[in-house]
Amino acid sequence: MNDMTVTQKNTYVGKSITHESAHLHVSGKANYVDDIPEVEGTLYAGLGLAEIANGKIINMDLSAVWQAEGVVTVLTGIELLHNNCGPVVADEPIIATDTVSFFGQVIFVVVAKTYQQAQQASRLAKVTYEALEPILTIEQAIARQSWILPPVQLTAGDANAKLAVAPYRLQGMAQVGGQEHFYLEGQICYAYPKEEDMLQVLCSTQHPTEMQLLISEAVGYGMHQVSVEVRRMGGGFGGKESQSAQWACITAILSVKLKRPVKLRLDRDTDMIVTGKRHGFAYQWDVGFDEQGMILGLYIQLASNCGSSTDLSGPVNDRAICHVDNGYYLDAVTIDSLRCKTNTVSNTAFRGFGGPQGMFPIEYIMDDIGYALDIDPLIIRQRNFYTAMSEQAGIDFSAENIDEIAPRSRTPYGTYVKDNILPDLVSKLAEHCDYFTRRETIKSFNEQSPIIKKGLALTPVKFGISFNATLFNQAGALVHIYTDGTILVNHGGTEMGQGLYSKIRQIVADEFSLDLSKIRLSATDTAKVPNTSATAASSGTDLNGKAAQAACINIRNRLQTFAAELANTKPSQVQFKDGYIYASGQSWQFAEFIKLAYQARIQLWDSGFYKTPDIHWNPVLRYGRPFFYFAYGAAASEVAIDTLTGESKVLRVDILHDVGNSINPAIDIGQIEGGFIQGMGWLTSEELYWVPEGRKQGHLFTHAPSTYKIPTATDMPKIFNVNLYDNQNLENTIHRSKAVGEPPFMLALSVFSALRDAVSASITTPILQNGIKVKPFLSAPATPEAILQAIVNAKQLVNSQTHLSNQ
């Protein structure tokens, strides 16, 4: 015990602390599932895949597979106790039996003594099929009314009435493709049996509890017999939320059957063929607006390619509906959502979870309105923003006449936008990046440049944070203080490189005012914290940070009470600072005090639980408050295109993004940069192509880096400015921070808008629709082929119009 004067403690929250595993990542010492030493006797699984997109299996001759070198067993679907791994609807077989729904569907699994033997044997099957004509596109699905889930509609106001009286009206259509997750570490699972019918599973998954449940159903165990552990993933992006289930179930089934350790690791080609993607969308709309560009009425149809089974298509499409407005007030809108069933791999969660697909058409429409009225599209966007109202300004959003007090503040699904900072954020970014001056400069450049054309766009993001399914907005954590003063933390969130463990470590260190070296996080494990939600919906830190903080507070309160007793003072007078505990002029080193507390039989561990407050959602009416708060941001992107080849280049990007009161600015900026570049890839270069006809009809042609192009270092903009907006969360989140995983992804919509701007500059005479100027159509991803096609089509339409007008 020492006598010391207490000063303000040094906090780790709000500082750019290095990622907790950075030194392991760069040195190659970070252990992933495939790096963990294998148990003696480990066997390896290989997949037998269907070679048609739709049809029936007439005969499957596996004799050559059984006879192949090293083969131990072969597993088919008819042998399974419970042949389903669908996370919501039981429509996804672990192994297909008599019906094939997509090219590459698993129809058998072979187990061998080595990885290579399993892969070689999996190719030896002789299968006879009765092939049927597959549905491969959204258009084909709509024509045949092929739905994975029934169509739904969301209506706010009378869109038809507003459209009928609007001074201006435009009809349009657009499409945006899907996207491969392309995580660095592919899907992998390693299962081994333990005593008394226990099963240990090491899995690269974002949802350990769901894996635990589906595995237990597949093998006929109780959940208490299955333990799923995840220390880290080499990326996830949503692709390891539900899609890891099939591989976890197969591995577990084989391990239990053979009473041996079994590992299943997908190579890159196989992974891309058999795992789901981002949902591709097709849109049609009818929009009415006035002379100022204010939207008066909107009808829009969202049609998504869900693939061959339901997976998470319901919530993905619901979130798309909830993000059609983005940052804009829509007084009268009708949204039809078509959930199309096709004979492609079942599409799934992906960073943004439907949000990017929901925002895409409204930004397309904003560009169209600006072009039609000869008003800068940024001005159109600003005029249509939600009103800049805030509870902090004294607005009572529970008042009966709230729509009069805070007009233009309610979303189509019934949530009030209580902290709208977009008008200020966008204005600051426009000023900082010199937007309007650069627009004039680019206009002058384009007038003088016949081949290279430039474009510039500034687009906003308003992204809701929370799971649409309210039940998933909960988390638990365990905090253990050992007698030497060190702390071990376990929680239900998973680390996939995004820095969740780093932030939790900072939060716990701050609660006890200890050096980070005293805090360690152990692997996420269903045997420690049960019934956890997926690390998804950008809510990992929000949920698990609050849960860990709650556990810390429980322990700290006991320690404060004990210190107050020793110092004969009140618990409120006890302070924790930089490794010491102070009370009424007395002080103890933290580790010293913990020993005293242990000797006094003070509980030095505790659990914490958190559930997101004030959220509710009616999934039938699609109405309520599904999001606890909104994260905001904006990006200005400048591009150049070659009108002869269609090639494009992003020249400069300026981003201003709202992360609230940042827990770790360096990690947040890294997430913003990475999210933007990934979004840019989705909209420019990452094209999924299924063979439309012939012997391999329905086969994913772009199943390797040679044919599927993610952004590389050469695609980075030469000028890339990222800044954090000075703000703290209106809601009581962990340290008033905001989520940063998904919202930055949609900042890349500015790149697509800029590309359309450049394409428009390539035509000298505008295209007309009912006397209104129409911006050239451009599909996404805006590959060189798509850009060149857009230019050719636009010029053909202009020539056609000129020819008709001359007749």
Side-chain angles (χ1 to χ4, degrees), residues 181-487:
H181 299 88
F182 219 98
Y183 25 64
L184 288 176
E185 177 199 32
Q187 298 279 0
I188 184 169
C189 190
Y190 183 34
Y192 51 93
K194 302 177 76 173
E195 62 183 17
E196 296 188 358
D197 294 328
M198 298 287 286
L199 187 66
Q200 181 73 33
V201 181
L202 307 177
C203 188
S204 186
T205 180
Q206 295 171 237
H207 203 342
T209 292
E210 186 170 89
M211 299 308 104
Q212 180 191 26
L213 171 63
L214 293 173
I215 287 170
S216 65
E217 291 176 346
V219 300
Y221 282 6
M223 291 178 71
H224 67 309
Q225 294 172 268
V226 179
S227 177
V228 178
E229 179 182 319
V230 185
R231 172 55 185 95
R232 63 171 59 85
M233 287 168 277
F237 310 116
K240 294 177 181 176
E241 184 175 347
S242 62
Q243 291 281 300
S244 48
Q246 185 174 11
W247 326 117
C249 288
I250 288 173
T251 311
I253 290 166
L254 290 167
S255 181
V256 170
K257 175 183 178 179
L258 299 171
K259 295 180 171 48
R260 295 272 295 275
V262 176
K263 179 184 284 188
L264 173 57
R265 172 172 61 83
L266 306 187
D267 60 43
R268 178 65 63 187
D269 292 75
T270 302
D271 194 302
M272 293 182 72
I273 290 169
V274 302
T275 61
K277 324 297 179 191
R278 181 185 297 281
H279 293 66
F281 271 60
Y283 313 93
Q284 293 182 9
W285 63 76
D286 188 351
V287 62
F289 51 98
D290 65 15
E291 296 84 354
Q292 299 299 310
M294 302 286 284
I295 291 180
L296 304 176
L298 173 65
Y299 167 78
I300 185 165
Q301 176 183 282
L302 313 178
S304 71
N305 183 347
C306 300
S308 59
S309 64
T310 307
D311 197 84
L312 297 173
S313 290
V316 165
N317 281 272
D318 282 352
R319 185 173 275 266
I321 289 173
C322 290
H323 284 85
V324 164
D325 61 323
N326 194 9
Y328 313 110
Y329 176 71
L330 300 176
D331 183 57
V333 60
T334 295
I335 304 170
D336 281 333
S337 174
L338 308 181
R339 293 97 192 272
C340 301
K341 182 176 182 178
T342 64
N343 295 114
T344 61
V345 64
S346 184
N347 289 319
T348 189
F350 202 127
R351 194 177 198 168
F353 203 80
Q357 297 98 312
M359 292 182 191
F360 182 88
I362 197 66
E363 295 304 330
Y364 207 104
I365 289 167
M366 289 295 166
D367 288 331
D368 284 353
I369 293 173
Y371 190 77
L373 297 176
D374 277 326
I375 300 174
D376 191 284
L378 175 56
I379 294 174
I380 299 296
R381 289 181 164 93
Q382 290 174 310
R383 288 174 179 173
N384 281 280
F385 279 157
Y386 284 99
T387 304
M389 294 288 182
S390 172
E391 281 186 339
Q392 292 172 321
I395 301 296
D396 180 9
F397 282 89
S398 64
E400 290 186 5
N401 61 338
I402 181 59
D403 288 328
E404 298 175 13
I405 299 171
R408 299 177 58 84
S409 293
R410 183 166 58 175
T411 67
Y413 50 89
T415 296
Y416 285 95
V417 184
K418 300 179 179 181
D419 62 343
N420 186 20
I421 60 172
L422 265 184
D424 180 64
L425 186 151
V426 167
S427 294
K428 286 182 175 177
L429 178 61
E431 181 180 359
H432 175 76
C433 75
D434 205 16
Y435 172 84
F436 288 104
T437 301
R438 288 167 60 200
R439 288 281 292 181
E440 291 301 316
T441 302
I442 287 172
K443 182 180 178 182
S444 299
F445 173 88
N446 287 338
E447 290 173 350
Q448 302 299 319
S449 176
I451 296 175
I452 304 300
K453 300 293 183 180
K454 290 184 178 181
L456 174 65
L458 194 159
T459 62
V461 168
K462 174 184 70 68
F463 187 81
I465 303 298
S466 290
F467 288 93
N468 276 59
T470 305
L471 75 158
F472 293 127
N473 296 290
Q474 59 176 302
L478 289 173
V479 174
H480 298 170
I481 302 182
Y482 295 103
T483 54
D484 65 351
T486 59
I487 297 178

Side-chain angles (χ1 to χ4, degrees), residues 38-231:
E38 296 171 355
V39 178
E40 185 177 355
T42 294
L43 301 172
Y44 304 86
L47 305 178
L49 306 180
E51 295 188 342
I52 61 169
N54 184 29
K56 295 185 179 298
I57 299 174
I58 302 303
N59 183 59
M60 188 159 58
D61 181 358
L62 301 177
S63 56
V65 180
W66 276 100
Q67 295 166 12
E69 182 182 2
V71 169
V72 175
T73 193
V74 180
L75 182 69
T76 61
I78 59 173
E79 303 173 53
L80 302 187
L81 173 71
H82 180 82
N83 192 9
N84 174 67
C85 59
V88 179
V89 178
D91 64 349
E92 187 162 352
I94 298 171
I95 303 174
T97 52
D98 56 352
T99 301
V100 173
S101 300
F102 67 93
F103 199 112
Q105 189 168 16
V106 178
I107 55 176
F108 70 90
V109 182
V110 58
V111 181
K113 294 178 181 178
T114 71
Y115 175 84
Q116 289 77 12
Q117 288 172 342
Q119 304 311 307
Q120 291 167 0
S122 69
R123 300 181 179 94
L124 300 178
K126 297 178 181 178
V127 185
T128 305
Y129 304 96
E130 179 187 342
L132 303 174
E133 186 66 23
I135 297 173
L136 299 178
T137 68
I138 292 173
E139 293 73 21
Q140 290 170 350
I142 293 174
R144 293 167 63 172
Q145 294 192 332
S146 176
W147 316 128
I148 202 77
L149 292 167
V152 302
Q153 184 179 89
L154 184 147
T155 300
D158 191 339
N160 287 333
K162 292 295 183 71
L163 284 167
V165 299
Y168 296 92
R169 191 166 172 178
L170 278 174
Q171 291 78 42
M173 59 184 294
Q175 61 190 45
V176 63
Q179 186 178 24
E180 164 63 32
H181 299 88
F182 219 98
Y183 25 64
L184 288 176
E185 177 199 32
Q187 298 279 0
I188 184 169
C189 190
Y190 183 34
Y192 51 93
K194 302 177 76 173
E195 62 183 17
E196 296 188 358
D197 294 328
M198 298 287 286
L199 187 66
Q200 181 73 33
V201 181
L202 307 177
C203 188
S204 186
T205 180
Q206 295 171 237
H207 203 342
T209 292
E210 186 170 89
M211 299 308 104
Q212 180 191 26
L213 171 63
L214 293 173
I215 287 170
S216 65
E217 291 176 346
V219 300
Y221 282 6
M223 291 178 71
H224 67 309
Q225 294 172 268
V226 179
S227 177
V228 178
E229 179 182 319
V230 185
R231 172 55 185 95

Side-chain angles (χ1 to χ4, degrees), residues 573-588:
Q573 300 302 308
V574 177
Q575 292 181 281
F576 291 70
K577 180 188 179 294
D578 297 341
Y580 282 83
I581 298 174
Y582 299 90
S584 188
Q586 300 183 45
S587 66
W588 299 267

Side-chain angles (χ1 to χ4, degrees), residues 477-674:
L478 289 173
V479 174
H480 298 170
I481 302 182
Y482 295 103
T483 54
D484 65 351
T486 59
I487 297 178
L488 182 68
V489 183
N490 188 270
H491 59 82
T494 55
E495 174 64 44
M496 60 196 91
Q498 83 279 35
L500 173 61
Y501 275 32
S502 302
K503 288 186 175 181
I504 301 295
R505 194 175 177 217
Q506 288 175 258
I507 291 164
V508 172
D510 182 73
E511 289 302 317
F512 294 106
S513 192
L514 290 175
D515 188 85
L516 282 174
S517 64
K518 302 296 183 182
I519 317 297
R520 189 175 73 85
L521 275 76
S522 60
T524 304
D525 192 337
T526 57
K528 295 178 181 178
V529 177
N531 309 324
T532 58
S533 301
T535 305
S538 302
S539 60
T541 302
D542 282 8
L543 296 176
N544 297 285
K546 273 288 193 181
Q549 184 186 53
C552 292
I553 290 172
N554 292 339
I555 301 170
R556 200 182 65 214
N557 287 343
R558 289 194 288 271
L559 295 177
Q560 286 178 311
T561 300
F562 179 54
E565 291 172 357
L566 294 180
N568 194 26
T569 187
K570 296 179 181 179
S572 60
Q573 300 302 308
V574 177
Q575 292 181 281
F576 291 70
K577 180 188 179 294
D578 297 341
Y580 282 83
I581 298 174
Y582 299 90
S584 188
Q586 300 183 45
S587 66
W588 299 267
Q589 190 179 35
F590 186 80
E592 171 194 2
F593 186 79
I594 291 300
K595 288 181 182 178
L596 294 176
Y598 172 73
Q599 292 166 4
R601 296 185 293 179
I602 305 297
Q603 183 180 334
L604 296 174
W605 63 272
D606 217 320
S607 61
F609 178 77
Y610 175 75
K611 62 178 181 179
T612 309
D614 304 324
I615 54 174
H616 53 91
W617 176 247
N618 186 319
V620 177
L621 299 177
R622 288 168 179 80
Y623 193 85
R625 187 189 178 190
F627 310 122
F628 189 34
Y629 63 89
F630 295 103
Y632 302 92
S637 294
E638 181 178 339
V639 304
I641 65 170
D642 185 326
T643 59
L644 298 181
T645 66
E647 293 175 279
S648 67
K649 180 69 176 176
V650 180
L651 305 174
R652 174 177 170 178
V653 173
D654 295 87
I655 292 173
L656 184 58
H657 196 74
D658 164 40
V659 298
N661 186 33
S662 177
I663 292 173
N664 189 316
I667 285 177
D668 287 348
I669 289 173
Q671 284 290 293
I672 294 166
E673 292 172 341

